[in-house]
């Protein structure tokens, strides 16, 4: 039995590795991998490659000539409803497969255990839970979207060794080195949205695009309570170049001057007016809207007020920090994360699943917030 269990783990581990190849390509769908095996021999292996394309199970079945009596290892419960593709459960039942090993139940309401029930009702042996923790880690953004109806929030900033993201005059270009900035563009390239505050727009006039382009084009989002962003900024100028350019969404407050909204709209921005009065509540409001639009990953790049508001609202899921070997000093210099903060170190946020990498002389530190 131990040998059989270890064999199952090896095949499921391979399926999870395959699933990860879909990162940035399949959202808002989950990343899924599938492996077909019989008598220890691989018959077919695949992963969900593109949103709207065939699912991993269907692709794996297509690669196998004879699947009778085989075992299917799949990282997420097979779908049992008609969406952009036919139900995978139908294909599995028709393939003569004897056993299905599933890492995790799909939280999507139209599946959520129904796919497993359908396979068992068809006479298949279905085992659930193998390497579930690895699958759930991989698809945490998808699960956050389905369960909490908001995007997965990734906070990113570059700071000096003494924790500053800008000098007292607001100067911040460039704290990080070129290698670190390349990594930021790679991160942007798999995001559904990139968000900053209007202060960062006024100070840095960023484009917020991935250069070179990645697999996704992120919605560019600006938190601008009063609608004071100039129409001459690069965000809006680049938005007019081509219809394929990522759009710009400006999030304004309830008391904004409507003339400012009209000015931004005429310049090509989409304006979303929040009803909530506090910064934290407005963030929760726009995140629900982004969830309704099915944005899966949102990169929050600052500045300190925006990052602080997300932190105070306990909405940051993942952190990517680039630390440069530079010191600026000064009590008036800008810290990385503003907001109210905490009163006691015992309540400080703790990162888990951390990774540390040296990018020339910059330290790249990333991890997930422990819940």
């Amino acid at each position: 039995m131990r040998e059989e269990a270890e064999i199952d783990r090896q095949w499921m581990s391979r399926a999870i590795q395959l699933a990860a190849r879909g990162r940035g390509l399949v959202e808002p769908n989950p990343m899924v991998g599938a492996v077909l095996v019989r008598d220890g021999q691989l018959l077919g292996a695949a992963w969900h490659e593109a949103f709207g394309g065939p699912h991993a199970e269907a692709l794996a079945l297509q690669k196998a000539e004879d699947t009778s009596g085989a075992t299917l290892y799949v990282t997420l419960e097979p779908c049992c409803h008609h969406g952009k593709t036919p139900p995978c459960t139908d294909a599995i039942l028709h393939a003569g497969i004897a056993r299905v090993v599933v890492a995790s139940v799909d939280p999507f309401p139209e599946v959520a255990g129904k796919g497993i029930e359908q396979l068992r009702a068809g006479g298949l042996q279905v085992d659930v839970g193998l390497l579930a923790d690895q699958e759930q880690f991989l698809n945490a953004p998808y699960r956050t979207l389905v369960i909490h109806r908001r995007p997965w929030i990734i906070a990113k900033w570059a700071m000096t060794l003494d924790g500053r993201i800008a000098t007292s005059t607001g100067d911040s270009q460039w704290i990080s080195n070129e290698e670190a900035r390349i990594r930021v563009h790679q991160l942007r390239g798999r995001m559904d949205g990139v968000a900053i505050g209007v202060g960062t727009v006024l100070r840095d006039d960023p484009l917020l695009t991935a250069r070179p382009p990645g697999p996704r084009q992120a919605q560019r989002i600006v938190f601008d309570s009063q609608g004071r962003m100039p129409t001459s900024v690069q965000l809006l100028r680049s938005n007019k170049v081509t219809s394929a350019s990522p759009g710009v969404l400006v999030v304004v407050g309830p008391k904004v001057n409507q003339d400012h909204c009209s000015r931004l709209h005429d310049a090509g921005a989409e304006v979303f007016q929040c009803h909530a009065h506090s910064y934290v509540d407005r963030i929760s409001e726009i995140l629900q809207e982004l969830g309704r639009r099915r944005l899966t990953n949102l990169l929050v790049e600052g500045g300190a007020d925006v990052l602080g508001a997300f932190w105070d609202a306990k909405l940051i899921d993942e952190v990517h920090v680039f630390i440069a070997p530079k010191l600026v000093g000064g009590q008036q210099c800008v810290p990385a994360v503003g907001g109210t903060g905490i009163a006691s170190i015992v309540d400080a946020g703790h990162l888990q699943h951390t990774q540390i990498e040296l990018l020339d002389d910059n330290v790249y530190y990333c991890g997930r917030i422990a819940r």
Side-chain angles (χ1 to χ4, degrees):
M1 290 295 291
R2 286 184 179 178
E3 184 178 351
E4 291 177 1
E6 182 57 31
I7 290 172
D8 282 346
R9 289 180 63 87
Q10 290 174 4
W11 288 119
M12 183 61 78
S13 179
R14 181 164 182 175
I16 289 172
Q17 291 171 6
L18 289 170
R21 296 186 183 184
R23 181 179 284 110
L25 300 169
V26 303
E27 293 87 350
N29 282 355
M31 292 173 274
V32 181
V35 174
L36 268 169
V37 179
R38 185 177 58 221
D39 299 328
Q41 298 298 312
L42 178 66
L43 303 178
W47 65 95
H48 185 33
E49 299 177 5
F51 176 71
H55 289 186
E57 303 95 312
L59 289 171
L61 288 169
Q62 290 174 13
K63 293 181 179 182
E65 294 182 3
D66 178 15
T67 58
S68 58
T71 295
L72 172 66
Y73 297 87
V74 61
T75 57
L76 193 67
E77 175 182 11
C79 67
C80 54
H81 66 289
H82 283 273
K84 292 184 177 294
T85 60
C88 289
T89 50
D90 288 354
I92 294 169
L93 288 169
H94 292 151
I97 290 170
R99 178 181 176 229
V100 179
V101 183
V102 178
S104 295
V105 174
D106 190 342
F108 189 66
E110 293 189 53
V111 185
K114 301 180 187 70
I116 292 169
E117 291 176 4
Q118 193 174 107
L119 293 175
R120 285 175 174 162
L124 276 66
Q125 177 185 342
V126 182
D127 301 321
V128 183
L130 182 62
L131 302 188
D133 56 340
Q134 293 186 28
E135 186 285 326
Q136 290 166 17
F137 180 87
L138 179 68
N139 275 317
Y142 165 74
R143 291 177 178 276
T144 297
L145 179 62
V146 171
I147 297 170
H148 301 292
R149 300 182 181 180
R150 68 162 177 86
W152 178 260
I153 307 302
I154 301 171
K156 165 263 161 185
W157 65 86
M159 68 181 186
T160 61
L161 199 58
D162 51 346
R164 302 296 195 257
I165 61 172
T167 67
S168 58
T169 64
D171 183 42
S172 63
Q173 295 184 346
W174 293 98
I175 289 176
S176 59
N177 64 22
E178 185 176 355
E179 196 171 342
R181 295 196 293 276
I182 289 172
R183 192 63 60 90
V184 171
H185 283 286
Q186 292 171 345
L187 185 61
R188 282 181 188 167
R190 64 176 182 84
M191 294 293 108
D192 299 297
V194 179
I196 58 172
V198 67
T200 302
V201 177
L202 297 175
R203 183 180 66 244
D204 297 338
D205 193 18
L207 272 170
L208 296 185
T209 54
R211 303 182 294 278
R216 309 189 76 77
Q217 282 199 331
Q219 170 90 68
R220 297 173 293 173
I221 301 165
V222 179
F223 291 97
D224 184 7
S225 298
Q226 302 302 319
R228 60 194 178 102
M229 184 171 72
T231 56
S232 59
V233 297
Q234 289 193 92
L235 283 170
L236 294 178
R237 295 204 313 272
S238 66
N239 199 42
K240 293 181 176 180
V241 173
T242 168
S243 59
S245 296
V248 177
L249 175 66
V250 182
V251 182
V252 299
K255 296 182 178 180
V256 67
N257 186 315
Q258 293 303 313
D259 289 341
H260 294 338
C261 293
S262 298
R263 175 179 57 82
L264 291 168
H265 181 269
D266 292 344
E270 178 187 358
V271 179
F272 181 88
Q273 185 169 8
C274 291
H275 299 290
H277 288 272
S278 77
Y279 203 164
V280 168
D281 288 342
R282 284 201 293 274
I283 285 175
S284 296
E285 189 176 341
I286 186 59
L287 288 184
Q288 292 302 306
E289 172 62 19
L290 297 180
R292 187 187 67 78
R293 300 184 186 193
R294 302 191 74 194
L295 272 69
T296 307
N297 291 285
L298 176 65
L299 181 65
V300 180
E301 296 203 21
D305 290 342
V306 173
L307 288 166
F310 271 87
W311 177 245
D312 288 345
K314 296 180 172 58
L315 288 169
I316 295 177
D317 300 300
E318 186 174 326
V319 172
H320 291 247
V321 181
F322 299 87
I323 306 169
K326 299 175 182 178
L327 297 168
V328 296
Q331 293 185 354
Q332 302 304 314
C333 293
V334 184
V337 181
T340 303
I342 59 168
S344 175
I345 289 295
V346 73
D347 297 322
H350 180 73
L351 290 189
Q352 58 185 5
H353 306 293
T354 55
Q355 297 179 41
I356 302 174
E357 185 179 350
L358 193 61
L359 303 177
D360 195 5
D361 63 351
N362 281 201
V363 176
Y364 175 31
Y365 193 102
C366 63
R368 294 187 177 184
I369 301 294
R371 299 299 185 192

